[in-house]
Amino acid sequence: AQSVSQHNHHVILSEAASLELGCNYSYGGTVNLFWYVQYPGQHLQLLLKYFSGDPLVKGIKGFEAEFIKSKFSFNLRKPSVQWSDTAEYFCAVNNNAGNMLTFGGGTRLMVKP
Amino acid sequence: DGGITQSPKYLFRKEGQNVTLSCEQNLNHDAMYWYRQDPGQGLRLIYYSQIVNDFQKGDIAEGYSVSREKKESFPLTVTSAQKNPTAFYLCASSMTGEFNQPQHFGDGTRLSIL
């Protein structure tokens, strides 16, 4: 069975700091990769996704993620975080066999103003 | 506005009782999903349905049941057989059950045992 690991459970940054959240998955075949975000009091929403093509994916609000197949990784990055980026971030993977997503444990990001 | 509505937002259950969580969508999506979210464990799939009158077990289906009699509705029943039901439950939908369709989520229901 596939699994998804997010090694950082809690991250605290100051505004304007750079962000990188790790995501590693275990499945060896073709995968589709997602990052979802849950802002305080809001529902989970899609931040960005990778299916094929350019491994550097741009998402909303200045976020990007890079798919490195050899490392089984899909890390999320943002050059300069804002207080409004405070949220919980989830990495998710599916293996092209249907739309069953496997989620990582989530990373809580707190950005200090 | 189109979206997914989960109710109630908070639910309390006594030991030995079954409870049903509601999930309604007006997005005209074919596929619907139920996840359970526990701290530090991300979301785990309970059941999913790719089309009306059909559903499949996810990774942690034991102690739960679902029905899909209407396209818009996918209620989840937490039965007394579920030994640790206290959790946050999220319903989601996607246009189809194909892998390239992003999932849209509801606001969730928090279930607690009294």
Side-chain angles (χ1 to χ4, degrees), chain A residues 32 36 43 90 96 99 104, chain B residues 37 42 97-99 101 103 107:
Chain A
N32 304 293
Y36 282 84
H43 58 263
F90 293 92
N96 254 5
N99 206 358
Chain B
Q37 185 178 9
E98 297 298 318
F99 64 88
Q101 295 296 317
Q103 295 185 15
D107 289 335

Side-chain angles (χ1 to χ4, degrees), chain B residues 18-21 34 63-67 75-79:
Chain B
N18 293 355
V19 288
T20 298
L21 283 59
W34 273 105
Y64 299 97
S65 66
V66 293
S67 63
L76 173 75
T77 296
V78 184
T79 74

Side-chain angles (χ1 to χ4, degrees), chain B:
Chain B
D1 284 341
I4 299 176
T5 301
Q6 289 188 242
S7 61
K9 193 168 183 177
Y10 299 95
L11 187 58
F12 299 91
R13 190 191 94 170
K14 291 182 181 179
E15 295 272 3
Q17 280 186 336
N18 293 355
V19 288
T20 298
L21 283 59
S22 170
C23 178
E24 303 278 330
Q25 54 99 357
N26 61 3
L27 298 166
N28 200 31
H29 285 174
D30 284 329
M32 297 185 75
Y33 314 81
W34 273 105
Y35 293 91
R36 171 181 170 138
Q37 185 178 9
D38 295 285
Q41 295 192 50
L43 282 70
R44 292 180 290 169
L45 183 65
I46 304 172
Y47 268 97
Y48 68 102
S49 167
Q50 293 183 300
I51 199 166
V52 174
N53 292 322
D54 185 54
F55 50 82
Q56 285 81 40
K57 292 182 179 180
D59 298 322
I60 54 165
E62 186 175 349
Y64 299 97
S65 66
V66 293
S67 63
R68 187 85 188 278
E69 297 175 2
K70 297 187 298 182
K71 188 176 186 177
E72 310 79 43
S73 178
F74 191 41
L76 173 75
T77 296
V78 184
T79 74
S80 57
Q82 171 48 241
K83 297 305 178 190
N84 185 23
T86 296
F88 189 58
Y89 291 87
L90 281 168
C91 179
S93 71
S94 61
M95 191 174 297
T96 70
E98 297 298 318
F99 64 88
N100 61 350
Q101 295 296 317
Q103 295 185 15
H104 300 256
F105 287 82
D107 289 335
T109 293
R110 191 166 296 280
L111 175 63
S112 301
I113 298 302
L114 293 178

Side-chain angles (χ1 to χ4, degrees), chain A residues 44-69:
Chain A
L44 208 64
Q45 56 189 283
L46 184 67
L47 196 56
L48 50 78
K49 62 186 184 227
Y50 171 81
F51 292 143
S52 63
D54 187 345
L56 185 62
V57 179
K58 304 284 186 183
I60 60 172
K61 302 186 180 184
F63 285 91
E64 65 179 31
E66 185 174 13
F67 171 49
I68 303 180
K69 190 174 181 179

